[in-house]
Amino acid sequence: MHLNEAAQKTGVGVQLTWEPFFLNPNMDEAGEDIMDHLRNKYGDAAVARYGGDDNPLSNAGRACTPPINFKNDRFIYPTHKAHAVMEYLKSIDAREDSNKLMRVLFRKYFEEGKNINSKEVIKAAIDEIELKEPEKALEAADNKELIALVSTKDAEFKHKLRVSGVPFFIMHRNDGGRATGFSGAQPADLLGEQLEEAAQE
């Protein structure tokens, strides 16, 4: 992730909080083949551009440190349950665990093509990071209040902050000034500049 690289280069400490955002909020539980989804949403040109190994997303992933090997033949799934677990971890101030879990969920979805809205997959991710009280975290996946909170946050980011895609970063300043929001698909040097500015007191 370029944010990690930027933080290391600048020496600016980062406290990362993951927030929910749905690219496809009405996605069916069964999911949809990603190439069918691209064709239905953007046309055959999108499939031609992203269907092969030498596509912009895969090239960008390989340039990351560590590299991300995107799996092209995967399904798109809803992610409400996974986000609900993340909200639970935030509620108990388990920041380090939430970062570990998100990295595992990213790998399982983007590189392995797993359904991270499946409790079986979520449980495997929780077990992998050896989370304390894993039963409570897994129960959060079905918590209606947390799922409602996730949907509310998603709507707020879209309407109040005008977030329209991911990755997206909101950087809060140490001096209490206005937060800065921008697309996260930026080089490490640019992110480093933003970090240094936000770190000023």
Side-chain angles (χ1 to χ4, degrees):
M1 181 185 289
H2 288 167
L3 178 63
N4 290 336
E5 183 181 349
Q8 291 174 357
K9 285 183 176 180
T10 60
V12 175
V14 175
Q15 289 188 333
L16 187 63
T17 300
W18 298 93
E19 298 291 355
F21 184 88
F22 302 131
L23 288 171
N24 304 286
N26 299 315
M27 177 64 62
D28 186 86
E29 289 288 337
E32 182 181 15
D33 179 87
I34 190 169
M35 292 304 156
D36 289 343
H37 179 79
L38 288 175
R39 181 178 290 106
N40 294 333
K41 196 170 183 178
Y42 302 109
D44 290 335
V47 175
R49 186 178 186 194
Y50 289 97
D53 290 333
D54 188 29
N55 66 74
L57 183 62
S58 294
N59 290 336
R62 285 190 283 265
C64 290
T65 306
I68 302 171
N69 299 306
F70 287 101
K71 183 177 176 65
N72 288 338
D73 58 337
R74 65 180 189 273
F75 269 54
I76 295 174
Y77 297 102
T79 53
H80 295 74
K81 293 181 185 296
H83 280 301
V85 175
M86 296 301 295
E87 290 300 317
Y88 163 74
L89 293 179
K90 283 190 283 186
S91 74
I92 62 171
D93 198 27
R95 187 184 301 273
E96 184 176 347
D97 286 331
S98 67
N99 289 338
K100 289 179 181 178
L101 183 61
M102 186 60 81
R103 284 195 290 269
V104 173
L105 290 173
F106 275 162
R107 189 195 75 232
K108 287 187 175 296
Y109 173 64
F110 287 111
E111 299 191 73
E112 300 175 11
K114 303 290 187 182
N115 178 2
I116 60 171
N117 210 49
S118 158
K119 288 188 68 175
E120 180 180 356
V121 174
I122 293 173
K123 182 181 185 303
I126 290 172
D127 290 343
E128 184 172 330
I129 68 169
E130 298 181 342
L131 187 67
K132 294 180 180 179
E133 298 184 310
E135 298 83 4
K136 290 185 178 180
L138 189 59
E139 288 173 1
D142 290 325
N143 187 299
K144 293 182 179 179
E145 291 183 359
L146 289 176
I147 290 175
L149 174 61
V150 164
S151 296
T152 298
K153 283 191 168 186
D154 169 68
E156 288 179 348
F157 288 127
K158 287 174 178 172
H159 298 299
K160 292 184 179 180
L161 299 179
R162 298 182 180 179
V163 180
S164 59
V166 291
F168 193 92
F169 286 96
I170 301 171
M171 287 192 181
H172 297 274
R173 299 176 59 92
N174 283 347
D175 62 8
R178 185 174 181 179
T180 302
F182 58 92
S183 169
Q186 304 291 344
D189 289 344
L190 187 146
L191 290 173
E193 293 175 5
Q194 294 290 337
L195 285 175
E196 289 178 326
E197 184 175 341
Q200 296 177 10
E201 297 183 354

